Amino acid sequence: MADNKIITIGRQFGSNGRQIGELVAKKLGVTCYDKQLIKKAAKESGLWEDLLDEMDEKPTNSFLYSVVMDPYAFAYSFDNSGYGMNINQKAFMATYNTIQNIAKNESCVIIGRCSNYVLRDFNNVYNFFLYAPLEERIKIVMERFNLDEKKAKDQIIKEDKARASYFNYYTSMKWGNIESYDCCLNTTLMDPESMADLIIEISKK
C-alpha cells in the first residue's frame, strides 16, 4: 500500500478528462478506473450494477432537494454500517469502499466519483481537476456526440450540474474549487498526450 501511487482526476464535461486519464494510466502501465468502478462496486457490495450505474455521479430529484437544503450534510454524517442510509447513500458507499480497496492494493488512475475526497487520508495520492473554456468544450461535445451547438451546451450544463451536486453533497469540499485539488489544469493549453505527460511529471514531484 505504501508504494502504491494513485492519480485522481476530476473533470468538467467535455474537457477530455477521461481521455487524458486513460492516457496517463497507459503511460504508467496501470489501470484507469472509470465505468469499471461500477461493475467492481456492484460485485463487492451485492447491489445491482444497473442501480449503481443509474446513480453514478447523478443525484435523483429527491437527492437534489437534499443538496439544495444542506449541501454538505452527508459529508459529516454517513455511517459505514449502512444503517439508516437511503439507496443513494448506499450506492455512494459501495463506490466509496471499492475506491479505498483499489487504492490499498494497486497503483491506478481514478476518474471522478469523489475519489480525491475518498482517498484524502491516503499517502501518494495526487488530485487533479481538468477544465476547459465553455466554447472549447462545446466544440468537443458537438463532434463527439454529433450534437448541434445548443444541445451540446445544454448537455454540458446538465452534466456539470449533476457532478457538482453529487460531489458537494458527499464531501466537505466544493467541486471545481482549486482548494479541493492539488492541481487544476486547462486542457486546451496542449494536446491530450502532452497533458498526460505533464500530469505524470507533476505527480513525480
Side-chain angles (χ1 to χ4, degrees):
M1 178 178 173
D3 295 331
N4 291 344
K5 181 177 183 178
I6 315 297
I7 293 176
T8 76
I9 296 181
R11 72 284 183 226
Q12 289 183 327
F13 187 71
S15 65
N16 282 329
R18 183 180 63 183
Q19 178 190 3
I20 293 168
E22 290 173 347
L23 285 170
V24 170
K26 183 178 179 180
K27 290 172 180 288
L28 291 175
V30 301
T31 301
C32 179
Y33 286 98
D34 186 16
K35 285 296 184 180
Q36 303 93 320
L37 272 172
I38 304 305
K39 186 178 294 292
K40 193 171 180 65
K43 183 178 180 179
E44 293 181 0
S45 68
L47 294 175
W48 289 345
E49 184 177 337
D50 288 347
L51 174 66
L52 292 178
D53 186 56
E54 179 66 25
M55 296 183 175
D56 183 34
E57 295 189 298
K58 297 182 182 72
T60 63
N61 289 333
S62 58
F63 182 32
L64 278 172
Y65 176 78
S66 299
V67 170
V68 172
M69 296 304 293
D70 190 358
Y72 298 119
F74 190 76
Y76 299 106
S77 64
F78 70 75
D79 178 354
N80 281 301
S81 69
Y83 177 75
M85 290 184 182
N86 62 34
I87 192 62
N88 302 87
Q89 294 166 343
K90 288 180 179 179
F92 173 79
M93 283 308 301
T95 305
Y96 182 106
N97 291 330
T98 297
I99 290 172
Q100 288 208 336
N101 289 337
I102 289 171
K104 290 174 183 176
N105 291 288
E106 62 179 290
S107 297
C108 63
V109 175
I110 303 178
I111 308 294
R113 281 83 187 178
C114 306
S115 49
N116 57 325
Y117 172 77
V118 174
L119 301 177
R120 64 196 181 282
D121 295 326
F122 282 59
N123 295 322
N124 298 326
V125 177
Y126 306 88
N127 303 305
F128 293 85
F129 186 81
L130 305 185
Y131 67 96
L134 178 59
E135 59 271 19
E136 295 301 323
R137 292 191 286 142
I138 289 174
K139 293 176 185 176
I140 291 171
V141 172
M142 287 175 64
E143 181 177 352
R144 182 175 299 163
F145 298 102
N146 194 28
L147 299 175
D148 61 33
E149 183 175 350
K150 183 181 184 305
K151 289 182 178 179
K153 182 178 180 179
D154 290 344
Q155 187 66 24
I156 289 170
I157 293 172
K158 176 184 176 182
E159 294 289 341
D160 280 356
K161 184 177 181 180
R163 289 176 183 176
S165 296
Y166 181 89
F167 184 92
N168 293 349
Y169 180 74
Y170 282 116
T171 79
S172 55
M173 302 180 286
K174 186 174 181 181
W175 185 80
N177 190 311
I178 59 173
E179 294 179 354
S180 300
Y181 310 89
D182 297 316
C183 184
C184 298
L185 298 170
N186 181 345
T187 59
T188 63
L189 296 179
M190 56 187 70
D191 62 87
E193 284 274 355
S194 299
M195 184 61 65
D197 290 335
L198 177 61
I199 289 172
I200 292 171
E201 186 62 28
I202 291 173
S203 67
K204 288 180 180 178
K205 304 296 185 183

